Structure formats: structure tokens, C-alpha cells
Amino acid sequence: MTTQSEAIAADLEAIRANYSLTDEQRQIVDHVDRVSREVLHPLQARMDEEEWWPEDLFKQMGELGLLGITAPEELGGSGQDEFTQALVSEVISKWNPAVGLSHGAHDNLCLNNLLRNGSEEQVKKYVPGLCSGELVGALGLTEPGAGSDALGSMATTARRDGDDYVINGSKIYITNGPIADVILLYAKTEKSKGAKGISAFIIETDNPGFKVAQKLDKMGFRGSPTGELVFEDCRVPASAMVGEENTGVSVVMSGLDLERAMVASVCVGMAERALELGLEYAKIREQFGKPIASFQMMQSKLAQIYIEVETARAFGYRALAACTGLPKGAGGRGEIHKLTAAACLYAGEAFNKAVTEACHIHGGSGYMQDTEINRLFRANKLLEIGAGTSEVRKIIIAEELLRA
């Protein structure tokens, strides 16, 4: 018979197994931290100032081993799990949030979703190029009239015409949209079925009928290219469909749970950087003849930021552990749906608190647009909006609680 102490020991061992990094994961994190600090961090200021994306950056990330984290090695990937993918995203976002945002759209929302849901032919055709950075990926879901109600209000359509589908409609706020080579796109194939009449397609952006209507000018994450995309009689072969017709919702929802867990990791990376910047500034800034770090009010702020970072990390890692190895078609309901919404909600709010306090520690310099803490501060709002607003996340949590 298991004693209480044995049960507690087993629980602790499970926690360590889930949330402690393996030696291989630590090596990956150390590598990503080094190249992100040396290669990506110096790009940050110009990217923000000019809304600039370096032309060959995806190819460079491919050469550095930052892409295709979950893809098999034989396809050019690293053969790691989703937990490791999130660790990579966390570290990249710490050193360059704009690159972190584009990396997530490419490596998770496009590549990983295609890997999980695409046919063998689709995977072989697109995944190697996405791993190398020769191809840039994006996800096309949000529309001008379909934000929080992205599925129910979707207006983009795909009409069957012989061996093709003809796509008409538009997508907005699409990360990597202006530079994407392939887009995992969602469109209504049977309007009468509502959300159950949505299908997924892999679209090549050199198809006639596709165009980038505009590149959008953002408050934060500047440099990560975001755009409005238009499809006007854009003809694609039936073989471009990902999964079966009218099964796009399962593709969306399984990917959305992992996306929220990944967003939590992005928040942790950026919050950790806010803590570092706040601590560094508090040590060197002197007032009244001594460093402001010596004042108890500043110490209180630093302690609170640390608490926000580590509690968000623990919650986020729990959600990631639950997402890792999630079977195809799973997600979008039940415990995993509730858990990832809660982790994403908490991490977004924790980062907001952390970066606000860190910016306050910087005083007047934190209000200047060319400082790194200011860039973090301007980026934070998106993390309470993207992947479902804070309100939508709360609705998901409450619905799952009441359904139990």
C-alpha cells in the first residue's frame, strides 16, 4: 500500500520530469540563447525604428538551427517535441520580440500544424523548405470582420471547381503575411454548416489571385511583418486541402491550444528580459547619493517582477507538458483547452505587470521610444489580445469548468 509520503514523492518526481530540462534541452537552450544574443538582439533597434525585416533572416535562422524544431531530422528539422519548441521561442522572444513573433507564426502556426495535419505529400513538399528558411510560413485565420469570432464570422470562401478550389476573401493582422511563401489558410467550403463548414488549405503566395493589400504599422513587435491579405478568384488544386473537406475546425482548435501555451512562453521570455533590464538600471542609476536599488520601494518592485516571471513560467510549463505529444485531432475542448487558456491569460497579465514595473524603475528613460524597455512595454498589449483576448480566455475557462 502506498504511503502518503511515497505518493508525495511520486508527485514531485512527476513534476521534475515534466518541468525540468533534460541535458539535451539545456544544450539547445544555451545554443539558442547565444545566437539570439549575438545575432538577433543587435537587430532589435533598427527593426523597431523602421518596421524593418532583414531579407534573409529566415534563411539565417535555418542555418543556425532555429527552425523546424518539431520536424523530423530526415526533413531537415531537429526532431524535438513541442515543449522544446516553446523553450526556443521563449529565448528568441527574450532577445528580439519581433523575431520571436515571426518565428512562432512560421515554426508553430504554419510548419507544426502542417506537420500534424498535412498529407505525406504536403509534408514532403513544404516542410524541408520551411526548416531551412528557404520558405517562409504564415497562418491565415483572422479577418476584418472575424476576430474573436474567427470561425463563426469567417467570410472567406473556397468553392470547388472541378479539380480546383477558387478562394475569395481577405485576412488581416497576419504575421509574416507580407513575406510569406506559404500560408496555412482557413476558408468556408460549405457556408450552411457555419463553423463546421470550414476547410484548411496550404496556399503558395505566387498563385494568381493572391496579393498583399497592405503592410500594417504596429505599436509593438515592430519589424515582424504583419499584413492584410486578399484572395480574388485565387485558384488552388484540390490537393492543397489540409485534411478532409469541412474538417478545418479540428485543425484550428488543436493548433490553438498549443499556440496559447507557446504565447505563455513568449511572455515569460520577455518578462525575464524586463527583469534583467530593471535590475541592471536599478544598480547603476543613482539618486540621493546612492543606487536606487538600495531603496526598499525599488527592491519591492524587483521582487514582484521576479514572482511574476517565475509563476508564469511554472504555469506555462505545466500547460506545455500537457500539450506535448497531444494526439492528432485532440484539443479544443476539455482540460487541455481550459489549461492552455488559463496559462496564456496568466502569463499575459504577469508580463504586463512585470514590464510596467520595470519601465517605472527606468523613470523618464523608460518613456523614451528608443530604449529596449520601452520596446518591451509597447509589445506587451498584443499578448493580451492575440490567440484569443483575455476575455475570450476567461470565457473558455468558465465554460469548461461549468461543463465538468
Side-chain angles (χ1 to χ4, degrees), residues 41-60:
H41 187 247
L43 302 173
Q44 197 186 115
R46 183 182 170 190
M47 289 177 71
D48 181 77
E49 184 178 351
E50 301 177 15
E51 265 281 14
W52 167 69
W53 180 267
E55 185 176 352
D56 293 323
L57 187 54
F58 268 105
K59 291 179 184 177
Q60 190 175 9

Side-chain angles (χ1 to χ4, degrees), residues 260-261 263-265 267 312 315-320 337-349 393 397:
R260 289 186 175 125
V263 167
S265 288
C267 291
F315 202 168
Y317 283 10
R318 183 188 171 199
L320 283 166
H337 202 40
K338 175 178 64 179
L339 181 61
T340 55
C344 188
L345 172 68
Y346 186 87
E349 293 182 347
R393 297 168 197 173
I397 296 164

Side-chain angles (χ1 to χ4, degrees), residues 63-106:
E63 292 167 358
L64 291 168
L66 303 182
L67 303 180
I69 305 301
T70 57
E73 292 183 13
E74 59 268 26
L75 293 177
S78 300
Q80 300 295 322
D81 59 20
E82 290 86 354
F83 197 110
T84 306
Q85 184 184 40
L87 294 175
V88 171
S89 185
E90 177 183 313
V91 175
I92 293 174
S93 299
K94 172 182 175 178
W95 291 109
N96 191 316
V99 175
L101 186 67
S102 282
H103 177 273
H106 172 98

Side-chain angles (χ1 to χ4, degrees), residues 191-272:
K191 286 184 179 181
S192 62
K193 289 188 176 181
K196 294 182 178 179
I198 292 172
S199 299
F201 298 86
I202 187 76
I203 308 294
E204 298 178 12
T205 58
D206 59 0
N207 273 13
F210 169 84
K211 67 177 181 181
V212 177
Q214 60 174 324
K215 181 183 174 184
L216 301 170
D217 189 12
K218 305 185 302 299
M219 177 173 75
F221 289 100
R222 292 172 57 80
S224 172
T226 306
E228 179 181 7
L229 313 179
V230 173
F231 302 83
E232 295 176 339
D233 292 330
C234 181
R235 184 175 292 270
V236 299
S239 60
M241 181 175 285
V242 177
E244 300 296 322
E245 189 174 72
N246 299 330
T247 62
V249 167
S250 65
V251 180
V252 173
M253 298 310 291
S254 65
L256 194 54
D257 284 332
L258 180 57
E259 180 188 1
R260 289 186 175 125
M262 295 281 287
V263 167
S265 288
V266 169
C267 291
V268 170
M270 294 172 68
E272 186 174 294

Side-chain angles (χ1 to χ4, degrees), residues 305-322:
I305 296 170
Y306 174 78
I307 292 168
E308 302 295 349
V309 172
E310 294 305 325
T311 52
R313 192 195 309 276
F315 202 168
Y317 283 10
R318 183 188 171 199
L320 283 166

